[in-house]
């Protein structure tokens, strides 16, 4: 290989790009810091854009010019979802309408070139765009129209994803397109992102089947005019890691990551290209933009692995996984039902009576064997509650014990607690989930099987059910007894923790056989915290549970 040498890079000397410091597994072999985008974008200066922005909040804008994928896994739909996930406004020009799903492409309806031009002008003369990303461009006339419009309305960057075939192998652009793509569009591009078959087609058909071929191809494609070439390695044979090769005309960068075991790879290329466009639209230089986009794609591939949409060979990604937890179970959300074994619920009045802070109470409970903590404050001012929660969370994080906040989602979000416990009259689970995202734990208090079923269907991770025995810590609390507890357990498959008047004298009774399979533990207040020694009181309860739960195995299958 002529040109710059490849320099190995290890995690101790990751370059100053903030994205690299947070993504150690995205190794790249860098010879020198990457020139800032300003030198790349200067030639694409776009003064009129700055004059069209009247809002004080600068919303990055990407215009995607691509085909519609009816299965919504690739094309325009993937571009919009990726941009939305990355906080970028994405406008759309449709070049073709494909009848497509996870099995392949069943039909293509091409949009006339003059109507592609009309769509572009509608967007660029009103909303504008920081970056244009092109995907499926099925005809020569469409490509020529795009080139003409961009000469009249230049943008800061042009990302060309040279879509020739779909993931399924179905052709999306004919051989005639190849020449005009090479000769007219690529010279305008700041970045072109061919996959292996597309790289091969762009260099005249030579095989591109390994990293050395990818470097050669990147250099040959760079000679066609694009300022940067990213040859994507998703189609690389073998089960090793994934490598993409970036060439900027001076240096090669091997951007590696681990292969995600998944069949949901439809639209990965479109998603990467639009994610890069989004990061460029935010003003990031090229290499950090690519690394940030690759990180987003790697996270999305991981979070989508369990998704089951369509019957074809390649399923779609869940681009907006932070808003929904499709295909994920609560255990994948870092919540382990076993954590409910001994659930310590703090009480400010009791801690005050015994002269201890909430954080000290939490430390004592954890050192005594509590497996999960809930900070419950019904009287404290918000500021005081937040300070107590933050101090308690620091203790819980030290021991790796999940800590939830009772009722107050503002406090839970402000201190980044592990989740929240909601009563029937608190914020509905669905809204809490939308605010907290799929990773946080959400528990709901239920007295009836109907409430349990609703909590489950709304996306709760566990149920707190009681009061099992009469309790003094919760006013006007209806006692449901052991029978009521079991009815709640049978109301849904999600894990249940029993609460209400539980102590060393009756915890064994609650957890004894036969017990519902999803009854995972007991939540305790006074028996832990209305005591002089929290460690000892917690240890006493933990040993009762150890005897009971260890001896017995779940014997009552769920309905
Ligand atoms: N299973 C996987 N695990 C991790 N990364 C992957 C995986 N599959 C693809 N990628 C990454 O996704 C990006 C797209 O790669 P790919 O070669 O699939 O593009 P593509 O064929 O254009 O995709 P599509 O045509 O479906 O949009 C690359 O950066 C590649 O490294
Ligand atoms: C419409 C469309 N664009 C791009 C791709 C790339 O996979 C696809 N499958 N469908
Ligand atoms: Mg592709």
């Amino acid at each position: 290989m002529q040109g710059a040498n490849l320099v190995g890079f290890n995690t101790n000397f990751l370059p100053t790009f903030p994205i690299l410091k947070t993504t150690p597994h995205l190794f790249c072999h860098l010879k020198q810091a990457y020139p800032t985008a300003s030198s790349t974008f200067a030639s694409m200066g776009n003064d009129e854009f700055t004059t069209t922005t009247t809002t004080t909040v600068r919303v990055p804008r990407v215009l995607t010019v691509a085909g519609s994928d009816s299965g919504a896994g690739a094309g325009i739909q993937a571009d919009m979802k990726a941009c939305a996930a990355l906080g970028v406004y994405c406008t759309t020009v449709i070049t073709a309408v494909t009848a497509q799903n996870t099995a392949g492409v069943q039909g293509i309806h091409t949009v006339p070139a003059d109507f592609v031009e009309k769509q572009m002008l509608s967007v660029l003369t009103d909303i504008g765009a920081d970056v244009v990303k092109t995907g499926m461009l099925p005809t020569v006339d469409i490509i020529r129209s795009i080139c003409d419009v961009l000469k009249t309305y230049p943008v800061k960057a042009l990302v060309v994803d040279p879509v020739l075939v779909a993931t399924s192998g179905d052709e999306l652009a004919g051989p005639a397109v190849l020449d005009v793509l090479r000769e007219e569009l690529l010279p305008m591009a700041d970045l072109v992102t061919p996959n292996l078959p597309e790289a091969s087609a762009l260099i005249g058909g030579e095989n591109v089947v390994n990293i050395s071929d990818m470097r050669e191809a990147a250099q040959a494609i760079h000679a066609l005019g694009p300022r940067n070439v990213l040859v994507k390695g998703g189609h690389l044979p073998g089960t090793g890691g994934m490598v993409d090769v970036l060439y900027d005309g001076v240096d090669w960068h091997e951007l590696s990551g681990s292969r995600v075991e998944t069949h949901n790879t439809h639209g990965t290329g479109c998603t990467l290209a639009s994610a890069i466009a989004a990061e460029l639209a935010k003003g990031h230089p090229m290499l950090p933009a690519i690394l940030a986009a690759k990180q987003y794609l790697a996270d999305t591939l991981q979070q989508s692995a369990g998704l089951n949409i369509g019957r074809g060979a390649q399923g779609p990604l869940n681009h907006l996984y932070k808003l929904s937890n499709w295909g994920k179970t609560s255990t994948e959300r870092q919540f382990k039902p076993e954590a409910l074994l001994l659930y310590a619920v703090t009480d400010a009045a009791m801690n005050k009576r015994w002269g201890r802070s909430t954080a000290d109470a939490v430390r004592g409970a954890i050192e005594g064997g509590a497996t999960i903590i809930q900070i419950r404050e019904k009287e404290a001012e918000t500021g005081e509650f937040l300070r107590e929660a933050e101090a308690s969370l620091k203790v819980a994080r030290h021991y790796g014990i999940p800590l939830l906040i009772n009722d107050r989602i503002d406090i839970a979000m402000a201190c980044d607690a592990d989740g929240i416990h909601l009563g029937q009259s608190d914020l509905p689970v669905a809204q809490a989930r939308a605010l907290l995202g799929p990773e946080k734990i959400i528990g709901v208090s239920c007295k009836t099987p109907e409430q349990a079923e609703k909590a489950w269907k709304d996306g709760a991770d566990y149920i707190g059910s009681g009061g099992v025995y009469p309790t003094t810590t919760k006013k006007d609390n209806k006692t449901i007894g052991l029978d009521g507890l079991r009815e709640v357990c049978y109301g849904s498959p999600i894990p249940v923790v029993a609460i209400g008047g539980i102590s060393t004298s009756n915890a064994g009774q609650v957890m004894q056989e036969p017990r519902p399979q999803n009854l995972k533990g007991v939540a305790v207040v006074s028996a832990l915290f209305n005591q002089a020694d929290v460690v000892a009181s917690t240890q006493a309860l933990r040993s009762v549970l150890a005897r009971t739960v260890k001896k017995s195995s779940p014997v009552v299958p769920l309905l």
Side-chain angles (χ1 to χ4, degrees), residues 225-303:
R227 267 162 290 293
N228 299 278
V229 181
L230 178 69
V231 178
K232 300 172 296 186
H235 295 234
L236 271 179
T239 56
M242 304 298 296
V243 180
D244 299 340
V245 172
L246 172 67
Y247 181 63
D248 59 16
V250 177
D251 298 311
W252 279 267
H253 311 266
E254 288 181 18
L255 312 180
S256 53
S258 46
R259 177 185 286 275
V260 174
E261 286 315 313
T262 174
H263 77 279
N264 295 325
T265 58
H266 179 56
T268 45
C270 307
T271 301
L272 179 65
S274 46
I276 294 170
E279 294 301 316
L280 290 172
K282 293 177 187 174
H284 294 303
M286 186 61 73
L287 182 58
I290 292 172
L291 289 171
K294 279 187 66 62
Q295 183 63 58
Y296 164 69
L297 178 60
D299 294 345
T300 305
L301 276 159
Q302 194 66 50
Q303 297 289 335

Side-chain angles (χ1 to χ4, degrees), residues 67-69 74-75 98 100 136 163 165-167 172 266-267 270:
S68 163
D69 168 5
T98 69
Q100 186 174 175
M136 178 184 174
V163 172
V165 289
T167 317
L172 292 170
H266 179 56
C270 307

Side-chain angles (χ1 to χ4, degrees), residues 167-446:
T167 317
S168 54
D170 296 293
E171 185 179 278
L172 292 170
V177 163
L178 210 46
D179 291 339
V180 75
L181 194 68
R182 265 198 292 244
E183 290 151 23
E184 299 183 31
L185 188 61
L186 289 196
M188 297 179 70
D190 289 271
L191 174 68
V192 62
T193 63
N195 60 26
L196 299 188
E198 290 156 352
S200 170
L202 286 171
I203 61 173
E206 289 162 55
N207 271 344
V208 181
V209 293
N210 58 44
I211 294 177
S212 172
D213 294 344
M214 290 168 75
R215 283 192 215 127
E216 303 269 1
Q219 187 168 30
I221 295 167
H222 186 269
L224 298 171
R227 267 162 290 293
N228 299 278
V229 181
L230 178 69
V231 178
K232 300 172 296 186
H235 295 234
L236 271 179
T239 56
M242 304 298 296
V243 180
D244 299 340
V245 172
L246 172 67
Y247 181 63
D248 59 16
V250 177
D251 298 311
W252 279 267
H253 311 266
E254 288 181 18
L255 312 180
S256 53
S258 46
R259 177 185 286 275
V260 174
E261 286 315 313
T262 174
H263 77 279
N264 295 325
T265 58
H266 179 56
T268 45
C270 307
T271 301
L272 179 65
S274 46
I276 294 170
E279 294 301 316
L280 290 172
K282 293 177 187 174
H284 294 303
M286 186 61 73
L287 182 58
I290 292 172
L291 289 171
K294 279 187 66 62
Q295 183 63 58
Y296 164 69
L297 178 60
D299 294 345
T300 305
L301 276 159
Q302 194 66 50
Q303 297 289 335
S304 306
L307 202 52
N308 199 2
I309 290 182
R311 294 191 297 269
Q314 265 108 9
L317 296 168
N318 179 12
H319 296 80
L320 299 169
Y321 69 86
K322 288 193 172 156
L323 300 178
S324 61
N325 44 76
W326 303 330
K328 287 181 75 61
T329 61
S330 60
T331 46
E332 286 173 41
R333 282 207 293 269
Q334 314 310 323
F335 172 59
K336 303 285 177 273
E338 300 71 42
L340 295 174
L341 179 66
L342 180 43
Y343 192 141
V345 180
T346 66
D347 181 293
M350 291 176 194
N351 290 327
K352 197 171 179 181
R353 186 176 312 142
W354 291 97
R356 65 173 87 96
S357 69
T358 303
D360 287 341
V362 165
R363 182 177 294 104
I366 293 172
E367 288 174 356
T371 50
I372 186 170
I373 302 288
Q374 182 189 123
I375 308 295
R376 184 168 179 270
E377 283 286 357
K378 293 298 182 188
E379 310 303 330
E381 295 291 322
T382 299
E384 172 61 14
F385 192 166
L386 180 57
R387 281 189 294 278
E388 293 278 11
E390 285 169 337
S392 303
L393 191 60
K394 202 173 285 179
V395 172
R397 288 279 154 81
H398 173 75
Y399 288 95
I401 295 290
L403 182 141
L404 282 67
I405 302 294
N406 179 277
D407 177 12
R408 293 286 301 271
I409 195 162
D410 55 337
I411 301 285
M413 294 176 80
C415 68
D416 191 28
D418 295 304
I420 189 166
H421 185 86
L422 299 167
Q424 286 295 318
S425 57
D426 292 332
L427 188 72
V429 175
Q431 273 89 327
R433 179 64 70 199
L435 286 169
L436 294 177
E439 302 306 320
K440 297 297 184 181
I441 301 167
I442 298 181
V444 184
S445 293
C446 297

